[in-house]
Structure formats: C-alpha cells, structure tokens
C-alpha cells in the first residue's frame, strides 16, 4: 500500500507539473493580451518648437514652400582656403606615433599638400549638385535636403519613400554611393525584382547646408519632429527610416513619436545602456556560457574581452564627446578658423571608427577605404558652411538633458525594425539586448565587414540589407 500510494502521489505531482505551468501560462497570456489590448502604446509627445532668431512671430503662417537649392562656390572662397592651407604650422610627431596620439602629422602634411595642389573643389561641387537639393523652412529655420527619385520603376512595383539620416562628423554626402543602388537597383547588379526607393537625405539642423538653431535645447526629439514635418510636407503619409550615429537616435525618436507614420526602421548602429545588476550578471556569465544569456558565438566574439572592447576602447575614442557635450564653442572656434585643424579633427574619426586596427598605421588606413577627394569633400561641407561649431553643439543639447542617452529607451519601439551590425562598429549591441527597446526586430544581420560609416564605406552591403528588411516588412 505504501508503494502504491507513492506511485499515485508521483503521478499526481507529475500531472501538477504539467497542468500548473500550463494553467499559469494560459492565465498569464490572457492577462498580457488584456493589458496590451486595453493599453495604448506609449509614444514620445510630438510637441512643437521655434528655432529661428528672436521670438516666434505671433501672426502669419510659416512659408511651407519647397525651394530648389544649388551648392555654389567662388574664387574668393577657394583663395581664402588656399591662403590658410599655405600658413599651416607643422608639429612633428613622436617616433612610432602612428595614429595613437591622434592624427599623424606627417600624413597630415600629405593630406594638406593634396588639398592645396590637387583637390578640385569646383569639380566636387558639380558632384554634389548631381542630385536635386532643396530648402524648406520648418520651425523658423531652413532645412536642407536632397530628394532623389528613381528614373525607372519596374511595372507593378511600388516606390517606397526612404528617409536616410546621417550623423557626426558625416553629412548627407555619406549617402551618395548608396543612393543609386536604392533608386536604380537593377542597373547596379542588385535584384531587378527588389523594392525601389525614392530617397530623402536631410542635413541635421546645424550641419552643412541646414540652418543652425538660434535657440538653446535643440535635441534629437526636435530633429525627429522637424523631419516628420518635412516628410509630411513632401506628401508622404507613411515612410521607411534609416540611420546610423545620430541618425540612429533621430530615426528611433521618429518611430517612438509617430509609429503610425513609420512603415519600418532600419539602423546600422544601436545604442542601449548596459546598466543594472541583471545586465552585469549576464555580461559576466556571457564570457563563459554566452548561449545561456542569449548571445550568439558572433556576439561573444564582438563583445569580449568586455573591458577592452566596451570600456578602454570606448574611452580612447570618446574624448571629443566630453568636450562637445560640455564646452563645444571653445574647441569649435579653433576648428572653424583652421581648415587643417578641422580636417585633422574630422578625418581622425574616419580612420579609427572605420577600423580599430588603423590606429597602428601611419596613414590611419584612410585611403584603404576612401579616396582623399571623398574625405575632403565631407570636410569642405563643414568648412564652407562654418557649421562645425553648431554640429558640435548637438552633443551638448542632447547630453545636458540626458547624460547617458537612455531616457528615450523607456519608450519602446514597436514598428518593424531591421538592424545591420557591422563588425568594426565602436560598440556591438546583440539582438537580445536590442530587444529591450526594439520590440519588433524583423531582421538582424551580422555584416561581414565594415565600420561606423556604413553607407560611405560599404554601400552595396548596406543597400542589400535595407532591401532584405523592406521586402520582409512588405510581406508581413
């Protein structure tokens, strides 16, 4: 009898082991459904703003016209640049410096010589003007953007509007190599049956040919609102978004602000805070049993050794950030006055942010990924517009409100999201961490090569990933 009662007790406990969790799961599922169906998705309030000079006019509607714009230069502008380049004061570097101390001054001499004697700004202005440029006034400031439509659309194929947002120290020019791949994929070796885009690339206010805000507190939320207004003004009700660097935060804010307008969000970098006891425990466990906390083998290779890749490397690469987030105008005035200083400051980022190993090269590996014409054209956009100071202020306006850039992470992103994780990116965010904020990740790609300036460096890889993502979203 004792044995039989134990058997019955065991059978009963076995049934409980199945039934209790099943019941709990069912009740939990019903509760979750009830909570989700009865609760409105949290969004960032759109609000409104005024960034023009002085007080906002009480009367009169803002000029909403879209005005064609053309980049121009003059002999006077080029002569002034050459005079300043001729007065470059050279500082010898220590032996074996490579790029460990910043931009190598011997290589800088070569860059300056090329800039002074071979770089043709007139020719590069023609290159910049090959796409249609426009200005429109939003919230009191002139917003610059390029808008490129496909010259040919396959029969029955819908054209998808795509807003692409750059970061610092980049510009709209970063997208010049990827635009034809997205607007005319068939002509560039991409699947003829792929989706076709019309591409809109605005300049963040205070960057390049977009007017700088005249008021304080212009942050990524204000930028997101302005870019939504831009797309609405262009006649779009729904559109795709793509961004890296500041563009990642701005487009994420756009998805958090008006999810009903965003068909999909594609990012090539994701910023998620690594805070809290749970995250620290998972980081420690991940070094030994990555699968236990949801990390893939590729994630583990990109994250560990953790202190080296996520602390020491980041500290080495982020000195500029502390300056720009606190006293941007002090450092900025020197850069705005010296083209050589500006080039060194900007191009150093195109070295180590493209490939960390370029730190050990005397030329920073710059010409292994880009041409000097391409690099100097991006520098010239900052130089001729005197926009380096206002672009640096964007850090202060964002970090002063949100010191670790995590406040917006409390608002989840529910729009379909695609993430392209490039191996040389400054920080790697695994999918399992990205899901803390991005709740509907449709594609997550471990890219085979490339770094921070993805569209500029690996346009075909990025274009293919965007297309794969949009194709999946369109099939949902």
């Amino acid at each position: 009898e004792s044995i039989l009662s134990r058997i019955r007790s065991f059978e009963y406990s076995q049934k409980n082991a199945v039934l209790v969790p099943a019941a709990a799961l069912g009740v939990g599922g019903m509760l979750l459904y009830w909570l989700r169906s009865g609760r409105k998705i949290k969004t960032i309030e759109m609000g409104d703003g005024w960034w023009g000079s002085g007080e906002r006019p009480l009367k009169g509607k803002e000029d909403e016209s879209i005005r064609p714009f053309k980049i121009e230069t003059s002999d006077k502008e080029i002569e002034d640049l050459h005079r300043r380049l001729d007065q470059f004061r050279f500082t010898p570097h220590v032996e074996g410096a490579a790029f460990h101390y910043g931009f190598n001054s011997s290589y800088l001499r070569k860059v300056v010589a090329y800039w002074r004697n071979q770089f043709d700004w007139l020719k590069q202005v023609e290159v910049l003007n090959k796409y249609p440029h426009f200005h429109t006034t939003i919230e009191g400031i002139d917003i610059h953007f390029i808008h490129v439509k496909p010259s040919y659309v396959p029969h029955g194929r819908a054209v998808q509007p795509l807003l692409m947002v750059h970061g610092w120290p980049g510009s709209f020019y970063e997208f010049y190599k990827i635009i034809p791949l997205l607007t005319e994929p068939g002509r560039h070796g991409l699947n003829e049956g792929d989706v076709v885009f019309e591409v809109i690339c605005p300049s963040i206010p205070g960057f390049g040919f977009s007017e700088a805000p005249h008021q304080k507190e212009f942050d990524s939320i204000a930028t997101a609102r302005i870019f939504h207004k831009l797309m609405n003004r262009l006649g779009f009700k729904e559109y795709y978004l793509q961004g890296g660097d500041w563009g990642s935060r701005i487009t994420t804010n756009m998805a958090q602000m008006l999810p009903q307008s965003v068909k999909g969000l594609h990012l090539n970098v994701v910023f998620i805070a690594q805070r809290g006891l749970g995250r620290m425990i998972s980081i420690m466990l991940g070094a030994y049993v990555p699968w236990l906390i949801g990390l893939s083998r590729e994630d583990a290779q990109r994250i560990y050794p953790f202190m080296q890749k996520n602390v020491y490397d980041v500290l080495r690469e982020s000195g500029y950030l502390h300056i720009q987030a606190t006293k941007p105008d002090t450092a900025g005035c020197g850069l705005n006055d010296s083209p050589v200083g500006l080039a060194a400051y900007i191009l150093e980022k195109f070295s180590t942010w493209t490939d960390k190993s370029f730190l050990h090269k005397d030329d920073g590996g710059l010409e292994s990924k880009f041409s000097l014409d391409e690099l100097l054209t991006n520098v010239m956009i900052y130089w001729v517009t005197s926009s380096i100071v206002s672009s640096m202020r964007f850090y202060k306006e964002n970090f002063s409100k949100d010191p670790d850039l995590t406040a917006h992470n409390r608002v989840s992103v529910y729009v379909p999201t695609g993430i392209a994780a490039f191996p040389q990116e400054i920080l790697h965010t695994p999918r399992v961490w990205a899901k803390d904020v991005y709740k509907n990740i449709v594609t997550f790609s471990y890219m085979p090569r490339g770094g921070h300036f993805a569209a500029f460096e690996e346009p075909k890889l990025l274009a293919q990933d965007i297309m794969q993502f949009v194709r999946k979203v369109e099939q949902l």
Side-chain angles (χ1 to χ4, degrees):
E1 282 183 8
S2 175
I3 292 169
L4 286 171
S5 67
R6 286 182 182 179
I7 290 170
R8 289 191 194 101
S9 175
F10 175 75
E11 288 174 347
Y12 181 77
S13 66
Q14 288 292 91
K15 286 178 182 177
N16 277 355
V18 175
L19 292 173
V20 171
L25 194 64
V27 171
M30 289 170 66
L31 182 63
L32 185 65
Y33 175 79
W34 177 77
L35 285 170
R36 285 209 169 173
S37 61
R39 186 182 65 189
K40 188 179 179 183
I41 291 175
K42 186 179 179 183
T43 59
I44 291 176
E45 187 178 343
M46 188 163 182
D48 200 7
W50 168 259
W51 310 104
S53 183
E55 302 241 340
R56 187 173 202 159
L58 295 174
K59 292 182 180 179
K61 196 176 179 184
E62 189 165 70
D63 177 10
E64 296 187 356
S65 64
I66 307 289
R67 305 178 295 277
F69 168 74
K70 195 171 183 180
I71 298 171
E72 295 177 340
T73 188
S74 65
D75 291 341
K76 185 179 178 182
E77 184 175 72
I78 296 170
E79 286 166 10
D80 176 67
L81 171 69
H82 287 174
R83 177 182 60 80
R84 292 169 187 264
L85 294 176
D86 288 337
Q87 293 175 348
F88 165 44
R89 293 201 301 174
F90 173 75
T91 305
H93 57 76
V94 296
E95 293 181 10
F99 263 56
H100 289 277
Y101 288 71
F103 207 103
N104 182 286
S105 57
S106 291
Y107 180 62
L108 185 58
R109 258 184 165 169
K110 178 188 172 183
V111 172
V112 172
Y114 182 88
W115 198 359
R116 173 64 178 84
N117 302 312
Q118 292 173 263
F119 179 76
D120 188 342
W121 177 231
L122 280 169
K123 180 183 175 184
Q124 293 309 116
V125 165
E126 288 181 13
V127 171
L128 291 173
N129 282 326
K130 76 176 181 178
Y131 295 131
H133 294 250
F134 302 91
H135 267 150
T136 190
T137 306
I138 304 176
E139 298 188 4
I141 52 176
D142 282 350
I143 305 301
H144 162 259
F145 64 98
I146 56 174
H147 186 179
V148 187
K149 299 179 181 180
S151 58
Y152 165 75
V153 180
H155 179 69
R157 179 69 56 197
V159 178
Q160 302 293 345
L162 174 66
L163 180 82
M164 304 188 79
V165 185
H166 65 88
W168 187 93
S171 64
F172 66 92
Y173 177 61
E174 283 181 71
F175 301 117
Y176 267 48
K177 288 186 279 188
I178 197 173
I179 285 171
L181 307 183
L182 296 169
T183 57
E184 300 174 321
R187 291 186 179 182
H188 296 88
L190 297 175
N191 189 345
E192 185 71 48
D194 274 333
V195 288
V196 177
F197 298 93
E198 60 178 295
V199 179
I200 300 92
C201 299
S203 294
I204 298 170
F207 288 68
F209 298 99
S210 274
E211 186 179 353
H214 298 266
Q215 311 294 330
K216 294 189 294 183
E217 301 186 356
F218 183 87
D219 59 4
S220 62
I221 296 289
T223 313
R225 181 178 63 245
I226 282 175
F227 287 172
H228 270 308
K229 289 182 177 181
L230 170 64
M231 294 301 279
N232 187 257
R233 191 170 291 183
L234 291 172
F236 301 115
K237 301 301 180 190
E238 290 185 311
Y239 32 89
Y240 285 93
L241 307 175
Q242 202 287 325
D245 196 87
W246 278 122
S248 171
R249 182 171 168 93
I250 291 164
T251 54
T252 294
N253 289 161
M254 292 178 74
Q256 293 165 321
M257 186 179 286
L258 289 178
Q260 67 273 22
S261 295
V262 180
K263 294 185 77 175
L265 170 68
H266 187 280
L267 308 171
N268 55 275
V269 65
V270 170
F271 301 108
I272 302 288
Q274 297 163 2
R275 295 188 306 176
L277 181 61
R279 178 57 53 82
M280 290 310 298
I281 291 171
S282 72
I283 287 168
M284 288 188 284
L285 286 172
Y288 304 99
V289 282
W291 49 269
L292 191 64
I293 60 164
L295 297 182
S296 69
R297 183 179 296 178
E298 185 66 32
D299 289 328
Q301 288 176 351
R302 296 188 185 191
I303 291 171
Y304 300 102
F306 188 82
M307 290 300 290
Q308 179 64 50
K309 293 186 176 180
N310 296 271
V311 179
Y312 303 139
D313 288 353
V314 172
L315 283 173
R316 185 192 66 221
E317 294 299 327
S318 58
Y320 80 98
L321 189 151
H322 189 79
I323 293 170
Q324 295 178 192
T326 52
K327 304 287 184 69
D329 286 33
T330 304
C333 68
L335 302 177
N336 194 46
D337 192 57
S338 167
V340 178
L342 180 68
Y345 196 73
I346 287 177
L347 296 186
E348 183 236 302
K349 307 306 177 195
F350 281 86
S351 168
T352 48
W353 291 5
T354 297
D355 191 318
K356 301 174 189 75
S357 70
F358 288 172
L359 196 70
H360 310 298
K361 294 178 177 253
D362 289 341
D363 64 355
L366 281 166
E367 292 178 74
S368 63
K369 294 287 185 176
F370 313 104
S371 71
L372 284 181
D373 280 345
E374 289 171 343
L375 292 168
L376 290 171
T377 296
N378 183 66
V379 173
M380 286 294 289
I381 289 169
Y382 282 87
W383 177 254
V384 300
T385 58
S386 294
S387 61
I388 188 62
V389 178
S390 51
S391 75
M392 292 163 72
R393 284 182 194 143
F394 199 61
Y395 285 77
K396 181 169 179 64
E397 304 296 15
N398 281 284
F399 280 92
S400 60
K401 291 181 183 178
D402 183 12
D404 57 0
L405 293 186
T406 59
H408 303 162
N409 289 351
R410 300 188 195 105
V411 180
S412 296
V413 175
Y414 290 99
V415 305
T417 303
I419 298 171
F422 285 83
Q424 290 296 330
E425 185 55 82
I426 303 162
L427 281 172
H428 174 67
T429 301
R431 181 177 189 144
V432 68
W433 295 356
K435 283 167 67 177
D436 289 349
V437 176
Y438 302 90
K439 304 299 186 183
N440 187 10
I441 299 175
V442 176
T443 62
F444 187 99
S445 308
Y446 296 98
M447 307 305 281
R449 61 185 180 276
H452 188 70
F453 303 98
F456 205 33
E457 182 193 350
E458 295 289 350
K460 193 164 188 177
L461 282 180
L462 185 61
Q464 288 170 329
D465 200 72
I466 294 168
M467 289 177 169
Q468 176 195 6
F469 163 67
V470 171
R471 195 186 303 118
K472 283 196 173 184
V473 174
E474 291 297 310
Q475 291 170 353
L476 291 176

